[in-house]
Amino acid sequence: MNLILKKITIRRWPLRCLLFFVISCQVKSEYDTFIPSQKDSIMEVQKTDAAIDTIYGNEKLIEQGDLIMRSGRDFTSETMRQLSIQDKTYSHCGIASIEHDSIFVYHSIGGEWNPDQKLRRDLFEIFCNPFENRGFGIFRYKLNSKENADLLLVVHKFYNQGITFDMQFDLASNDRMYCTEFVYKAVEEATHNKIALSATILNHIKFVAPDNLFINPGCVEVKRVVFKSNNSVFNK
């Protein structure tokens, strides 16, 4: 985290079993042991520079209330991706808020990344940083000006309330919310269910998967960016 700033356990047993089942069945190991050469190190720096440049380059596309998705590199992120049925690209999400000259992403995250478990407010470039992510996506809900303003009010309300991360992954509770649940409930409250986001039911467990948030008639794709492993950045 400090570098990019300078340069610019789930407790709910049924869901734990579900996550283990999904990840064990679908995820393949992507890690091989190797000894990096000087050329590898230079290429890694170039790749990171290109990724950071494209993060800043895409900030101009972001509007208030946009849905920001990201694709993490860690095991937990890989697990969350596998919970999506139609599009397994993304593992985490947040809502963009333009404040003065900066773009922040409000999001719910737990674990070692967030010791106090409360809703976070991170700069867009930190949220999407290439040290921990393979890429990001920008999506936009079809909201009128009032609904968009209301969405930001709801997001800020949840943030000021100090909503904490829901380790139980329980949609019925409102004092704790996991990442996709936070967006799910903020959008539905702001639009009075005009945009009704779907949920996924798997093994009799109802939860909000990452793709439930953007595969919806009320949501449009603005941009997808993948940080490539060969120094380039793929924009879709």
Side-chain angles (χ1 to χ4, degrees), residues 33-199:
T33 301
F34 72 97
I35 301 175
S37 65
Q38 182 180 14
K39 181 178 179 181
D40 292 326
S41 299
I42 292 172
M43 290 178 66
E44 186 64 25
V45 171
Q46 292 173 339
K47 179 191 71 175
T48 301
D49 287 345
I52 292 174
D53 286 345
T54 201
I55 288 172
Y56 283 115
N58 281 281
E59 284 187 328
K60 63 182 180 296
L61 300 177
I62 298 175
E63 296 182 1
Q64 286 279 25
D66 278 355
L67 169 66
I68 309 297
M69 306 293 300
R70 76 182 186 194
S71 185
R73 296 176 178 271
D74 59 283
F75 179 82
T76 301
S77 297
E78 188 64 55
T79 305
M80 292 303 297
R81 270 195 292 275
Q82 299 308 316
L83 293 178
S84 293
I85 303 299
Q86 300 183 65
D87 187 330
K88 299 181 184 295
T89 303
Y90 301 110
S91 58
H92 191 55
C93 58
I95 297 293
S97 176
I98 301 174
E99 302 171 13
H100 303 295
D101 295 328
S102 300
I103 300 173
F104 292 93
V105 180
Y106 288 78
H107 62 115
S108 178
I109 193 169
E112 60 181 327
W113 301 278
N114 189 26
D116 68 6
Q117 307 293 301
K118 293 182 179 180
L119 281 176
R120 288 183 62 89
R121 171 181 175 268
D122 289 323
L123 286 166
F124 172 69
E125 55 265 31
I126 296 297
F127 183 83
C128 299
N129 80 82
F131 304 104
E132 299 172 333
N133 298 286
R134 294 189 178 96
F136 63 90
I138 304 170
F139 298 85
R140 186 165 300 144
Y141 291 110
K142 297 177 182 178
L143 308 177
N144 59 40
S145 58
K146 183 181 185 307
E147 291 165 342
N148 194 62
D150 287 345
L151 175 59
L152 269 298
L153 287 175
V154 173
V155 166
H156 292 155
K157 179 186 72 173
F158 288 163
Y159 178 76
N160 292 329
Q161 287 175 345
I163 297 293
T164 54
F165 188 80
D166 187 2
M167 295 297 292
Q168 305 300 317
F169 283 71
D170 182 7
L171 270 177
S173 63
N174 291 318
D175 59 331
R176 295 174 179 269
M177 299 178 190
Y178 54 95
C179 59
T180 49
E181 179 187 5
F182 160 66
V183 174
Y184 176 91
K185 290 185 173 177
V187 171
E188 291 202 334
E189 181 175 334
T191 65
H192 303 286
N193 293 313
K194 185 190 84 171
I195 295 181
L197 301 175
S198 61

